[in-house]
Amino acid sequence: MGQGAYIFGCEGLILDKREAAFFRESDPWGYILFARNVDAPEQLYRLTNELREAVGRDAPILIDQEGGRVQRMRAPTWRDFLPPLDQIEAALRHGDEDGAARSMWLRGRLIADDLTSVGIDVNCAPTLDVARDETHPFLRNRCYGSDAEIVALMGRAMADGLAGGGVQSVMKHMPGHGRGTVDSHLGLPRIEVDLEELVDDFAPFKALNDLPMGMTAHIVLDAVDPETPATQSGAVIDLIRTQIGFDGLLMTDDISMEALSGTVFERATRSLGAGCDLVLHCNGDLAQMDSLAKLGAMNTAAQTRADRAIAARKEAVGIDIREAQAELDALKA
């Protein structure tokens, strides 16, 4: 039997016996951590080990360590970073695109250094949504630019920097969330432009379609499927697979976000039925996770993509971390 078609979180700083027994039985493909799980390096390293021991394998452990507002591990224990858009705009003001891309590579490499030191091997980044004037503030300064080519260049640099430090990327939010004017944690954004305009939103994801993992957007695209959020839309998932050309492991954004309707099990069932490979559940609620465990194992195609993602893991390439930090500081000054 394959691994569970879900990624789960845990409730707190330690893995309690109930959670360990549940994870052993439900066998999630991987885990995701949040600030509620983070206190000190020793605690976090112990937690990541316990999570893997619960399933008896080197399961992927994810986190959102974008920098800026979305950063679960923070100073003074770990490095703090500017919001991505602020860093890129500062680097572009003082140099060229190559310098800005170098700053993003360094950012990724330094973030990877923090993550691998505590047993985390997947970062939910880069954010490849193209920023617009109307982009909701919950997302805007997490973006990498308002030009699709710049976003792709910076996203590639970030992903390469993470990979250089032994951390895999999850590009998000496919097929593009930048036109959203509603926070999808609280409601469902609707995009009412035609398909020709949306091609610009798709472009950064197409440019990075070789990355092994991606995350969907909880957003309605009227030009593709006006009735259904992208995460649950067979038409949008088909667009991701064909027009964008992404054949990697596709996970939902957090299934408990209020952009989606119904119980978490209903939301998850619709998402898998539309063609997502994995359901991402983030809040650590054991009762909700117990209901999602009834989804069972990944299908054959999803398991194949998951196995490919695991096989794509790379060993960290050693660098002088102090020199990397100094170079980054100079580029964003």
Side-chain angles (χ1 to χ4, degrees), residues 233-301:
S233 167
V236 176
I237 303 304
D238 181 66
L239 182 149
I240 289 170
R241 296 300 191 195
T242 57
Q243 187 168 338
I244 290 175
F246 177 68
D247 192 34
L249 185 67
L250 186 63
M251 64 189 72
T252 71
D253 202 347
D254 182 8
I255 206 71
S256 60
M257 288 164 62
E258 292 308 310
L260 304 180
S261 61
T263 66
V264 291
F265 182 79
E266 291 166 343
R267 299 173 188 186
T269 301
R270 293 179 197 132
S271 301
L272 295 179
C276 290
D277 295 317
L278 285 169
V279 170
L280 178 65
H281 182 269
C282 296
N283 65 24
D285 184 297
L286 193 55
Q288 289 187 5
M289 291 189 290
D290 186 53
S291 74
L292 291 175
K294 296 177 176 62
L295 296 167
M298 286 182 277
N299 63 37
T300 301

Side-chain angles (χ1 to χ4, degrees), residues 3-319:
Q3 292 140 17
Y6 30 76
I7 296 168
F8 287 154
C10 59
E11 189 175 29
L13 300 175
I14 61 171
L15 189 65
D16 69 30
K17 291 181 179 179
R18 292 175 313 133
E19 290 174 319
F22 170 72
F23 293 146
R24 191 172 300 112
E25 179 69 23
S26 60
D27 195 18
W29 180 75
Y31 302 98
I32 187 163
L33 300 179
F34 281 78
R36 67 177 184 270
N37 308 122
V38 175
D39 180 31
E42 299 81 6
Q43 166 269 325
L44 193 48
Y45 187 69
R46 184 168 55 251
L47 178 60
T48 57
N49 279 327
E50 289 172 347
L51 288 167
R52 290 185 169 113
E53 287 169 4
V55 292
R57 56 185 164 83
D58 189 15
I61 297 182
L62 292 68
I63 199 166
D64 292 289
Q65 193 75 353
E66 299 174 11
R69 287 180 295 110
V70 180
Q71 183 170 329
R72 314 307 183 193
M73 298 159 56
R74 305 210 70 106
T77 306
W78 294 280
R79 299 174 179 90
D80 262 342
F81 294 87
L82 290 171
L85 190 59
D86 294 357
Q87 176 177 316
I88 291 164
E89 289 180 343
L92 288 171
R93 278 196 302 271
H94 294 95
D96 56 14
E97 292 176 9
D98 289 342
R102 175 65 177 172
S103 81
M104 290 302 288
W105 186 93
L106 291 162
R107 179 190 186 98
R109 182 63 184 81
L110 291 167
I111 288 174
D113 188 61
D114 281 342
L115 299 186
T116 55
S117 69
V118 292
I120 298 169
D121 60 353
V122 181
N123 192 15
C124 296
T127 303
L128 299 183
D129 308 303
V130 179
R132 312 283 176 184
D133 290 341
E134 66 269 27
T135 303
H136 192 280
F138 100 92
L139 179 64
R140 194 174 196 285
N141 70 355
R142 298 164 56 194
C143 298
Y144 291 2
S146 56
D147 178 271
E149 289 187 11
I150 291 290
V151 172
L153 179 65
M154 300 305 153
R156 176 67 71 184
M158 177 70 170
D160 286 351
L162 288 167
V167 171
Q168 290 184 293
S169 296
V170 180
M171 61 176 174
K172 60 190 187 186
H173 306 84
M174 301 179 78
H177 206 307
R179 297 179 194 269
T181 59
V182 173
D183 181 349
S184 53
H185 294 86
L186 306 175
L188 179 61
R190 178 176 293 275
I191 308 305
E192 299 174 325
V193 302
D194 62 32
L195 194 58
E196 281 136 9
E197 286 186 73
L198 290 175
V199 169
D200 192 55
D201 296 11
F202 305 157
F205 299 101
K206 188 170 184 177
L208 275 72
N209 65 12
D210 58 305
L211 291 181
M213 287 180 276
M215 180 186 293
T216 63
H218 295 333
I219 196 163
V220 171
L221 303 178
D222 276 1
V224 183
D225 183 347
E227 304 298 326
T228 316
T231 298
Q232 300 174 333
S233 167
V236 176
I237 303 304
D238 181 66
L239 182 149
I240 289 170
R241 296 300 191 195
T242 57
Q243 187 168 338
I244 290 175
F246 177 68
D247 192 34
L249 185 67
L250 186 63
M251 64 189 72
T252 71
D253 202 347
D254 182 8
I255 206 71
S256 60
M257 288 164 62
E258 292 308 310
L260 304 180
S261 61
T263 66
V264 291
F265 182 79
E266 291 166 343
R267 299 173 188 186
T269 301
R270 293 179 197 132
S271 301
L272 295 179
C276 290
D277 295 317
L278 285 169
V279 170
L280 178 65
H281 182 269
C282 296
N283 65 24
D285 184 297
L286 193 55
Q288 289 187 5
M289 291 189 290
D290 186 53
S291 74
L292 291 175
K294 296 177 176 62
L295 296 167
M298 286 182 277
N299 63 37
T300 301
Q303 186 69 61
T304 297
R305 295 185 185 109
D307 292 344
R308 279 207 311 261
I310 294 292
R313 286 169 164 170
K314 296 179 180 177
E315 294 294 325
V317 177
I319 62 168

